[in-house]
Amino acid sequence: MFLKISAVAAILALVNAAPAPVKHVLHEERSMPSSDWVKGARIEKNAVIPMRIGLTQTNLEKGYDYLMEVSDPESEKFGKHWSPQEVHDMFAPEEETVANIKQWLTDFGIHGARIVHSENKGWIAADVTVEEAEELLQTEFYEHEHQSSPKVRVGCDNYHVPEHLASHIDYITPGIKLTPVVKRTVKNKRGSPWAAKSPLHVKVDDATPVPTSLANCSTQMTPTCIKALYSIPDATLATPGNSLGLYQQGSYFAESDVNAFFAKYATYIPQGTFPINASIDGGSYSVPASSAGNSGEANIDIEMTTSLIYPQTVTLYQTDDDIYEPEEVATINVFNTFLDALDGSYCTYTSNGETGDDPTYDAVYPHNVPGGYMGQLECGVYTPTKVISASYGQAEADLPAPYVERQCNEFMKLGLQGHSILFASGDYGVASFAGDIGTPGTTGCLGPEGLIFNPQYPSGCPYVTSVGGSQLQANGTVYDPETVMQDNLGGTAVNFSSSGGFSNYFSRPTYQDGHVETYFHRAHLTYPYYSELNVDVNTTTGIYNRIGRAYPDVSANGAYFPSYLDGTLYHFYGSSLASPLFASVLTLINEERAAIGKSPVGFVNPTLYRHDGVLNDIKLGHNLGCGTQGFKALEGWDPATGLGTPNYPKMLALFLSLP
């Protein structure tokens, strides 16, 4: 309920004049009633509500071109990355827009002293009475009570804004987006993420001696094997400011397990060498090995990266408190609170109909439950590392398009500043995991019959580097060609293979055009397809999107990595291994560029697509799913392994030759 407060008198005393007549147009309208919130009584007219007007950001349509200028090796501006302030200023709403909206409010009778323009320039706010808001927006505000909690939100079914301002206003809250409440426990609300489950692992006989040669790498992919496979030298540099960042959400590392790995497979790393703690919103750092939070994901990410880049450091971005993290692992992986911590303006700026975090999906702080993080949402508390790897994601369809589009724009902004953002592509071929409740049946695929390919996010965002999985052939050596990561691990992972395909939300970027069209020409695909973004999967007759952003971009080994879990040795599988591996390669290259006074490599996709000869092309195998053989690996780029795996000497020579 909203309480009557004495501030009403003060607000009314600041009213200037009678509202001037302005032509209004419908701006937003709720398409259907919420399934979780029940519309109740009208809000009392003299109650005060905080109204926020999200301003449409400028130049977002030019973001791709700006990023190509600093990322395309053929550009004169290659490597001339932007400062955070330059990024901020380029995409901020125009001053004229701000002035016109303020004028609209003051003409209505809201005194200028009541109007606040946010520090990041993304929104305008004012405390108003419900009576003022209803007249201003030509609407009615109602209480909305949650079906399974005592929480109350406020909102309307539709609202109107002046016609001449409509294109400058993204959206207004309270509005059809209800004023948020503390997030409740989610019960099977959304499909689970592929990386949130414990990473796939198979128990190993610990009595097997560590091989003294490279003969057993096909079944024991140790750091020594990885270095030999990709010609990665032993690291010697530790340039300040070049720490490698690891995103974690819900998986915590166990110090004893990591120490055991170093003792057996990376003896050059001292015991007790752990990541820099960059906890976000109360995220825990580590847990006992026997804890349920020790799923293995954080362990393998830390072990993979540290064993390849030491003496350089790893920075651990453990995101969200211990109450939210298990909930997020059971539902969806989201990155908003992580991005909030890297960019303070992201906490509140408006884009694609989303202002700040969305309480439907994101953690809300302070988190007023036992054990919850009681501090304020952390905004801009860390300077991002130059390279960040995340072995997390989910089906693109699990999140609404505006939500992921706003997030994708933030990855673009990080790329402009010279940051390399890498994501594991996923582990279920052209599908999501079996039993994803965002999809029918148990196929993990879309459509009423569960036959449509299910693209993954964030790999569908064109501003990140998507990393698929590869592996050695059975009985193969590090000198033999690799194949697509594809294993029968039993249970729900019978078809455990490198994820790849085409986005339903994002169109194909131009840096991919030639490679993808060549693939279509060589592959002779017979699957029916559609050429449409945001397709209706219930009516389309195709099973994949011919015009969507293609992924993965690259790949790296994702099988038979040995790691301890609560003291027991297992083999781990998945693109969860591939992303931190490739991120380590970029970190090592940044070390060498820094040594000769050059900038970090930044967003690498345009360079790699122009110079694909620096990667080891994978031509064997295929991914699976949705009752098909998925996509076959062929010469050149393919939607199973991308452009291929790293050839460190060739990649280093290329990037050292660039400005």
Side-chain angles (χ1 to χ4, degrees), residues 271-313:
Q271 292 287 285
T273 301
F274 303 130
I276 296 169
N277 185 4
S279 172
I280 296 171
D281 297 326
S284 289
Y285 179 61
S286 64
V287 295
S290 59
S291 168
N294 176 25
S295 68
E297 180 60 67
N299 291 347
I300 62 175
D301 289 355
I302 293 167
E303 293 158 359
M304 175 69 76
T305 52
T306 306
S307 65
L308 296 180
I309 70 171
Y310 181 83
Q312 184 53 268
T313 60

Side-chain angles (χ1 to χ4, degrees), residues 29-40 143-145 147 155-158 176-178:
E29 185 172 26
R30 194 182 311 281
S31 57
M32 62 182 65
S34 169
S35 59
D36 294 324
W37 295 89
V38 178
K39 185 177 177 181
E143 294 176 348
H144 292 72
E145 296 185 4
Q147 291 193 53
C156 59
D157 294 330
N158 58 63
I176 67 168
K177 180 180 178 180
L178 305 177

Side-chain angles (χ1 to χ4, degrees), residues 41 43 75 235 254 297 346 434 442 450 502 511 531 577 611 630 634 652:
I43 304 295
S75 169
E297 180 60 67
Y346 188 74
T442 59
F502 305 89
Y511 63 75
S531 299
L577 295 163
H611 299 278
L634 297 174
L652 178 63

Side-chain angles (χ1 to χ4, degrees), residues 33-56:
S34 169
S35 59
D36 294 324
W37 295 89
V38 178
K39 185 177 177 181
R42 285 277 299 274
I43 304 295
E44 297 177 11
K45 290 186 177 296
N46 60 350
V48 176
I49 55 176
M51 184 174 68
R52 177 178 289 180
I53 302 171
L55 308 180
T56 302

